[in-house]
Coordinates of all heavy atoms in Angstrom, one line a residue:
F155 N 26.4 -37.4 10.0 CA 26.7 -36.0 10.5 C 26.4 -36.0 12.0 O 25.3 -36.5 12.3 CB 26.0 -35.0 9.7 CG 26.4 -34.8 8.3 CD1 25.8 -35.6 7.3 CD2 27.4 -33.9 7.9 CE1 26.2 -35.5 6.0 CE2 27.8 -33.8 6.6 CZ 27.2 -34.6 5.6
A156 N 27.2 -35.4 12.8 CA 27.0 -35.3 14.2 C 27.3 -34.0 14.7 O 28.1 -33.3 14.2 CB 27.8 -36.4 15.0
A157 N 26.5 -33.5 15.7 CA 26.7 -32.2 16.3 C 26.5 -32.3 17.8 O 25.5 -32.9 18.3 CB 25.7 -31.2 15.7
C158 N 27.4 -31.6 18.5 CA 27.3 -31.5 20.0 C 27.1 -30.0 20.3 O 27.9 -29.3 20.8 CB 28.6 -32.0 20.6 SG 28.7 -31.8 22.4
S159 N 25.9 -29.5 20.0 CA 25.6 -28.1 20.1 C 24.1 -27.9 19.9 O 23.4 -28.7 19.3 CB 26.3 -27.3 19.1 OG 26.0 -26.0 19.0
L161 N 21.0 -26.3 18.1 CA 20.8 -26.2 16.6 C 20.8 -24.8 16.1 O 21.0 -24.6 14.9 CB 19.5 -26.9 16.2 CG 19.4 -28.4 16.6 CD1 18.2 -29.0 15.8 CD2 20.6 -29.2 16.3
A166 N 26.4 -25.6 13.6 CA 25.7 -26.8 13.7 C 24.6 -26.9 12.7 O 24.4 -28.0 12.0 CB 25.2 -27.0 15.1
T170 N 26.0 -29.5 9.8 CA 25.6 -30.9 10.1 C 24.1 -31.2 9.9 O 23.7 -32.1 9.2 CB 26.0 -31.3 11.6 OG1 25.3 -30.3 12.4 CG2 27.5 -31.2 11.8
V171 N 23.3 -30.3 10.4 CA 21.8 -30.6 10.4 C 21.3 -30.5 9.0 O 20.6 -31.5 8.5 CB 21.1 -29.6 11.3 CG1 19.6 -29.9 11.2 CG2 21.5 -29.8 12.8
L181 N 21.8 -38.4 11.1 CA 22.1 -37.2 11.9 C 22.1 -37.6 13.4 O 21.1 -38.1 13.9 CB 21.0 -36.2 11.6 CG 21.1 -34.9 12.5 CD1 22.4 -34.1 12.3 CD2 19.9 -34.0 12.2
V182 N 23.2 -37.3 14.0 CA 23.4 -37.6 15.4 C 23.4 -36.3 16.2 O 24.3 -35.5 16.0 CB 24.7 -38.4 15.7 CG1 24.7 -38.8 17.2 CG2 24.7 -39.7 14.8
L183 N 22.5 -36.1 17.1 CA 22.4 -34.9 18.0 C 22.6 -35.4 19.4 O 21.8 -36.2 19.9 CB 21.1 -34.2 17.8 CG 20.8 -33.7 16.3 CD1 19.4 -33.1 16.3 CD2 21.9 -32.7 15.9
F184 N 23.6 -34.9 20.1 CA 23.9 -35.4 21.4 C 24.4 -34.3 22.3 O 24.9 -33.3 21.9 CB 25.0 -36.5 21.3 CG 26.3 -36.1 20.8 CD1 27.4 -35.9 21.6 CD2 26.5 -35.9 19.4 CE1 28.6 -35.5 21.1 CE2 27.7 -35.5 18.9 CZ 28.8 -35.3 19.8
A185 N 24.3 -34.5 23.6 CA 24.7 -33.6 24.6 C 26.2 -33.9 25.0 O 26.7 -35.0 24.7 CB 23.9 -33.8 25.9
V202 N 31.2 -36.6 9.6 CA 31.6 -35.3 10.0 C 31.0 -35.0 11.3 O 29.8 -35.2 11.5 CB 31.1 -34.2 9.0 CG1 31.4 -32.8 9.5 CG2 31.7 -34.4 7.6
C203 N 31.8 -34.6 12.3 CA 31.3 -34.3 13.7 C 31.8 -32.9 14.1 O 32.9 -32.6 14.0 CB 31.9 -35.4 14.6 SG 31.3 -35.1 16.4
L204 N 30.8 -32.1 14.5 CA 31.1 -30.8 14.9 C 31.0 -30.7 16.4 O 30.0 -31.0 17.0 CB 30.1 -29.8 14.2 CG 30.3 -28.3 14.5 CD1 30.0 -27.5 13.3 CD2 29.4 -27.9 15.7
A205 N 32.1 -30.2 17.0 CA 32.1 -30.0 18.5 C 33.3 -29.1 18.8 O 34.3 -29.1 18.1 CB 32.3 -31.4 19.2

Side-chain angles (χ1 to χ4, degrees):
F155 293 86
C158 178
S159 172
L161 301 192
T170 59
V171 176
L181 173 61
V182 183
L183 301 176
F184 64 103
V202 173
C203 179
L204 182 142

